[in-house]
Amino acid sequence: MPLLDNLNAEQLAAVTLPDQHALILAGAGSGKTRVLTTRIAWLISTGNVSPAGVLAVTFTNKAAREMATRISAMLPISTRGMWIGTFHGLCNRLLRAHYRDAGLPQLFQILDAQDQHAFVKRLLKSLNADENRFAPAQVQYFINANKEEGRRAGDVEAFDDFSRRLVEFYAAYDEQCQREGVVDFAELLLRSYELLSRNELLREHYQGRFRHILVDEFQDTNRLQYRWLKLLAGHRSERRDAAGGESASSCLFAVGDDDQSIYRFRGANVGNMADFERDFRVENVIRLEQNYRSQGNILAAANALIANNRRRLGKNLWTQAGKGEPIRVLSARSDAEEAAWVAEEVRSLGREGLARREMAVLYRSNAQSRVLEHALFSAGIPYRVYGGQRYFERLEIKHALAYLRLLANPEDDGAFLRVVNFPPRGIGARTLEQLSDAARAAGTSLWQAVPRVAGKGGSALAAFARTIEALRGETRELPLAEVVEHMLAGSGLLDHFRAERDGADRVENLEELTNAAAAFAQEAAAEGAGAAEPDGPPDPLAGFLAHAALESGEHQAAEGADALQLMTVHSAKGLEFAAVFVTGLEEGLFPHEQSRKEDDGLEEERRLMYVAITRARSRLYLSFAQTRLLHGQTRYSVASRFVEEIPGEVLKWLAGRVSRPQFEDVAWETPAKKMPVPREIGAMGYRIGQSVTHPKFGQGVIVSAEGSGAEARLQVNFGRQGMKWLALEYAKLTPA
DNA sequence: TGAGGGATGGGACCA
DNA sequence: CCATCCCTCA
């Protein structure tokens, strides 16, 4: 079968596995997506399952799109009947189709993280919560973390007054969401889990329908997502929870890589992989270890590094390709020098004929991009920074969406508050306070309370209400794109930004919203024509709003330009480049300072480094700076332990004889040991930046000093031993 | 209402 | 250093 051509033995085994649960440990660059998509195509083309019997889950819209595209390239049929999407997208689909059973209004709105934050803030205020003890962000985190563990407020155990209060907020939050008809991201998951778990008929329907469930990036799933999968797969323990009957379970095909688990901070639970193996008695664990991306030295570095982690399922990447170039390492004197070197090296790679889009500069934290951008800009190298503001998160777009939400549902207090005085129309805090008092007293939404406060209609508030009413009236029967157009004009948003000095971009973004709406409507129409199921959103406006919340809009068409790619290591996951620069490899930065306080924190940082390394195909550069400007002051650091964990024989140390201020005649290729540490004004015979040795902590660098004479204390960075304050009088420090 | 000053805090991310 | 938040004042 041509479908199976060019698969290696393990890939072939995975693709053609019998109808059983399976765990595929897919190393970086091992053809994971190919296995996943070919498996689906194989199942369908062998008649094993119909397209409607396939459920494929990913984490990002991009991954879902790619999967759908690749499957339709392999099969003569359309992918329409298949459920391919993100967890949230699929849950949204489920809840829209069964909103009544799920206890939701038909046009429920989705809150993104920003909306949720504002919502919590508003809630805390209305409950007179102590602002100093309860920060909105903290309460938001508490709610999300619990939802992601599958716990409602009633399921959370409170140990003290503080946590009891948090639980109260959680309960009040859920009630308020229900009243306003809004749903946050975690709620999409939890609500659809509860829907299936409580509704036996529905559960059996979907369990019977989805014969094959395939999950991408399984190591990133959180506990709730795993339970959701278990429930849909008809796993016994989840069915007992749900008091359901017996039915044959569907096959769960999970693909993941524990070594690339880097999202614990957002709830991912690597343990799901081991749990899956146990819970489902998985007999088929297949390792994909042949790597088709990177050259030998790069893989040697990755393997050696990750071997330092203790809790692993275990994997070793190998390649048929040669060793390739050594990995080049630079010890720069400063972050500026590091950046200048990157620029220089990118130039030189360009001269060798490498396209800039094939090169990436990676860093641990976003703040590092500034220096790099400065150097690249000075050098005239086109670059693109990933991970800025996304389209649907922009201020003006959020305002526009809030107007649309009000058209769909005027009871939406969050949307109401966002735009009631935007553009400014003289509705101040005083008026809004009266309004919210009235609403609370009457137990209604703000919108319903307007007549109580606005009185006879001469007020600004009454005028706002009339504006919304008028818009609702005139857009009722219009196609989506025209609704948007009317809203932009009628709300005054367009005029407001046109009058603003620097409003041109915003006007452009707003006008783009009309195009986005038109494109969405067109796609929905095409989909609706072919779809056999009546579960699409009944209302195009609601559908568009859900789309805006679920797909924050990374479709930047500006990818045409050949630009160097700048991004955090996190956002590089899943991507690959011919040449990769991993910068800022300093103790305290990468691994990050914070990580030492978390258990498993260091191992997660190491996995992050593993991800960074494995992005590179043929050229890998590592760099660190001895001094770095952080939070407005110079920090002195030592090289990251991760550099030391890479075998010396694959490394090639570089150093520059830097002729200040220009870097033109730098001989970067001169082999050299680490450069001398810079010395600066210091105290008490020691200098800031000086290397010292401590009998217990070993080698360190003096970072700062305070006090004088017998009181003097030095702050020393001992690398993996951490940052220490030492009393000069007692500490047995010797210059190194 | 909105501009401007002063305090504060600063990890990564997708839906 | 920088962005963000809250408060004050015109």
Side-chain angles (χ1 to χ4, degrees):
Chain A
M1 190 176 279
L3 203 58
L4 305 179
D5 288 352
N6 302 318
L7 292 175
N8 68 35
E10 292 75 27
Q11 291 174 331
L12 182 66
V15 165
T16 58
L17 225 44
D19 286 3
Q20 291 160 7
H21 306 305
L23 177 61
I24 313 300
L25 293 178
S30 64
K32 166 195 76 144
T33 309
R34 178 151 184 235
V35 165
L36 214 38
T37 50
T38 313
R39 166 84 176 162
I40 294 174
W42 185 77
L43 287 171
I44 291 172
S45 62
T46 53
N48 195 301
V49 69
S50 74
V54 173
L55 180 73
V57 198
T58 63
F59 276 87
T60 65
N61 289 298
K62 192 178 163 201
R65 270 194 301 271
E66 186 183 347
M67 202 183 289
T69 314
R70 284 168 73 159
I71 293 171
S72 37
M74 283 187 259
L75 289 176
I77 54 151
S78 111
T79 55
R80 253 184 217 131
M82 277 178 246
W83 277 39
I84 302 178
T86 63
F87 278 102
H88 296 86
L90 295 170
C91 287
N92 177 55
R93 190 167 174 178
L94 215 52
L95 293 176
R96 297 279 168 198
H98 309 288
Y99 65 91
R100 224 168 265 142
D101 293 321
L104 288 170
Q106 183 168 20
L107 300 183
F108 69 85
Q109 301 293 322
I110 299 168
L111 298 182
D112 68 15
Q114 272 180 53
D115 300 331
Q116 191 191 23
H117 183 86
F119 189 102
V120 170
K121 205 168 163 183
R122 180 155 50 88
L123 179 82
L124 291 178
K125 196 162 277 176
S126 81
L127 295 175
N128 291 317
D130 180 352
E131 292 172 26
N132 298 317
R133 289 180 66 206
F134 302 100
Q138 183 194 16
V139 176
Q140 183 182 15
Y141 173 82
F142 178 83
I143 293 170
N144 290 339
N146 276 299
K147 286 191 180 182
E148 282 165 9
E149 295 286 330
R151 288 191 292 262
R152 288 291 178 193
D155 309 323
V156 184
E157 281 186 61
F159 304 98
D160 50 14
D161 283 349
F162 186 76
S163 52
R164 212 163 294 132
R165 200 88 175 99
L166 284 173
V167 174
E168 283 170 25
F169 294 148
Y170 182 7
Y173 170 87
D174 266 0
E175 276 172 38
Q176 185 69 19
C177 283
Q178 189 65 30
R179 262 199 298 278
E180 293 187 27
V182 295
V183 160
D184 61 58
F185 284 135
E187 183 71 22
L188 285 172
L189 253 305
L190 184 50
R191 191 65 76 105
S192 68
Y193 175 81
E194 289 171 346
L195 168 71
L196 292 174
S197 136
R198 288 173 188 160
N199 191 322
E200 195 178 336
L201 276 177
L202 223 48
R203 178 174 69 252
E204 281 174 359
H205 166 76
Y206 283 107
Q207 284 175 345
R209 169 178 171 168
F210 297 125
R211 304 313 307 163
H212 285 273
I213 299 175
L214 303 96
V215 194
D216 191 15
E217 306 279 17
F218 188 70
Q219 78 282 355
D220 288 340
T221 50
N222 64 35
R223 287 212 158 76
L224 179 57
Q225 284 160 339
Y226 179 47
R227 294 185 61 185
W228 187 88
L229 289 167
K230 274 186 5 189
L231 186 58
L232 269 175
H235 187 266
R236 264 195 231 97
S237 76
E238 290 296 318
R239 266 187 283 132
R240 200 171 310 129
D241 282 4
E246 289 290 319
S247 66
S249 87
S250 14
C251 301
L252 191 47
F253 187 90
V255 181
D257 180 0
D258 54 324
D259 291 333
Q260 292 189 69
S261 162
I262 57 172
Y263 285 118
R264 217 178 49 132
F265 68 91
R266 69 175 198 211
N269 174 32
V270 212
N272 285 348
M273 298 185 85
D275 288 354
F276 171 53
E277 220 181 316
R278 200 192 53 232
D279 294 349
F280 286 77
R281 297 207 183 82
V282 177
E283 282 164 23
N284 303 294
V285 177
I286 297 179
R287 286 179 162 73
L288 304 180
E289 299 178 288
Q290 183 174 4
N291 175 292
Y292 296 92
R293 178 186 296 156
S294 310
Q295 301 206 289
N297 284 336
I298 293 168
L299 293 185
N303 284 331
L305 176 97
I306 203 67
N308 288 289
N309 275 2
R310 308 184 124 262
R311 285 185 44 215
R312 300 175 62 210
L313 297 175
K315 233 178 330 76
N316 218 43
L317 298 177
W318 62 277
T319 178
Q320 285 181 343
K323 289 189 171 187
E325 294 282 319
I327 295 162
R328 291 171 167 78
V329 191
L330 177 82
S331 168
R333 282 202 283 214
S334 67
D335 48 354
E337 188 181 298
E338 176 189 50
W341 165 75
V342 168
E344 186 58 37
E345 209 55 56
V346 165
R347 272 247 182 84
S348 128
L349 287 172
R351 280 194 292 272
E352 288 175 29
L354 200 58
R356 278 185 296 266
R357 60 180 334 120
E358 278 296 338
M359 304 182 228
V361 184
L362 309 184
Y363 35 81
R364 176 65 179 78
S365 69
N366 281 306
Q368 290 166 251
S369 78
R370 185 181 294 278
V371 186
L372 290 162
E373 287 186 67
H374 179 77
L376 292 167
F377 186 81
S378 315
I381 296 169
Y383 64 89
R384 180 187 165 206
V385 187
Y386 273 69
Q389 269 253 332
R390 311 253 204 74
Y391 177 74
F392 286 116
E393 286 166 6
R394 286 165 208 268
L395 184 93
E396 64 276 19
I397 299 303
K398 292 296 272 184
H399 283 312
L401 292 173
Y403 275 105
L404 292 177
R405 273 162 59 176
L406 280 183
L407 296 187
N409 169 25
E411 319 275 310
D412 186 336
D413 284 357
F416 184 96
L417 284 169
R418 183 178 267 277
V419 294
V420 64
N421 194 38
F422 196 94
R425 39 175 81 89
I427 299 171
R430 199 173 30 88
T431 311
L432 289 178
E433 206 166 307
Q434 284 172 17
L435 183 66
S436 70
D437 285 349
R440 204 171 322 144
T444 67
S445 64
L446 295 172
W447 173 257
Q448 283 181 354
V450 167
R452 296 166 187 277
V453 173
K456 293 171 290 296
S459 70
L461 195 55
F464 171 69
R466 279 198 302 277
T467 304
I468 298 298
E469 288 288 13
L471 274 172
R472 295 189 82 188
E474 70 191 73
T475 57
R476 204 174 298 278
E477 299 295 323
L478 293 180
L480 184 59
E482 287 179 43
V483 174
V484 174
E485 248 177 308
H486 275 253
M487 178 276 299
L488 290 177
S491 64
L493 282 177
L494 269 184
D495 288 340
H496 177 263
F497 287 115
R498 279 199 185 112
E500 216 175 48
R501 280 161 289 120
D502 301 318
D505 281 352
R506 304 209 140 145
V507 171
E508 209 171 296
N509 287 333
L510 286 174
E511 281 164 350
E512 178 59 32
L513 194 61
T514 316
N515 299 336
F520 175 82
Q522 198 175 1
E523 207 158 300
E527 203 113 318
E533 351 176 27
D535 65 356
D539 183 78
L541 179 53
F544 182 59
L545 287 169
H547 167 80
L550 291 172
E551 177 121 25
S552 35
E554 180 60 23
H555 37 223
Q556 294 186 8
E559 280 166 21
D562 182 27
L564 174 66
Q565 315 281 308
L566 266 65
M567 65 190 83
T568 63
V569 182
H570 281 94
S571 42
K573 183 159 167 246
L575 306 177
E576 63 173 78
F577 306 91
V580 169
F581 295 80
V582 187
T583 64
L585 284 166
E586 295 132 39
E587 283 294 309
L589 186 60
F590 195 1
H592 197 277
E593 195 75 63
Q594 295 287 119
S595 69
R596 68 169 58 248
K597 300 191 191 86
E598 303 152 9
D599 56 303
D600 193 49
L602 182 64
E603 296 215 347
E604 176 129 331
E605 294 287 305
R606 192 175 282 111
R607 292 192 289 269
L608 195 54
M609 181 64 180
Y610 178 78
V611 168
I613 292 174
T614 53
R615 297 311 95 197
R617 284 204 289 270
S618 48
R619 294 280 217 143
L620 179 61
Y621 297 84
L622 310 177
S623 64
F624 57 93
Q626 290 154 8
T627 69
R628 180 176 297 277
L629 216 51
L630 202 63
H631 304 333
Q633 54 185 348
T634 307
R635 299 268 291 245
Y636 296 83
S637 6
V638 295
S640 168
R641 72 194 70 193
F642 297 151
V643 176
E644 290 158 25
E645 289 173 3
I646 295 172
E649 59 266 28
V650 300
L651 297 180
K652 178 176 180 182
W653 286 79
L654 316 174
R657 281 191 302 274
V658 181
S659 62
R660 306 195 66 93
Q662 297 294 320
F663 296 99
E664 298 297 322
D665 53 350
V666 174
W668 296 113
E669 299 287 326
T670 311
K673 296 294 162 207
K674 291 178 187 170
M675 303 190 33
V677 176
R679 320 214 144 183
E680 292 199 351
I681 358 88
M684 289 78 60
Y686 282 98
R687 284 176 290 265
I688 303 290
Q690 182 172 352
S691 294
V692 291
T693 306
H694 184 275
K696 186 157 153 228
F697 304 128
Q699 178 106 30
V701 178
I702 299 176
V703 170
S704 65
E706 67 175 31
S708 62
E711 311 275 329
R713 301 192 321 132
L714 296 176
Q715 191 183 22
V716 185
N717 184 349
F718 287 104
R720 76 185 58 192
Q721 307 295 330
M723 194 74 83
K724 311 276 184 204
W725 276 103
L726 302 171
L728 187 55
E729 199 178 355
Y730 305 113
K732 295 182 177 59
L733 284 178
T734 45

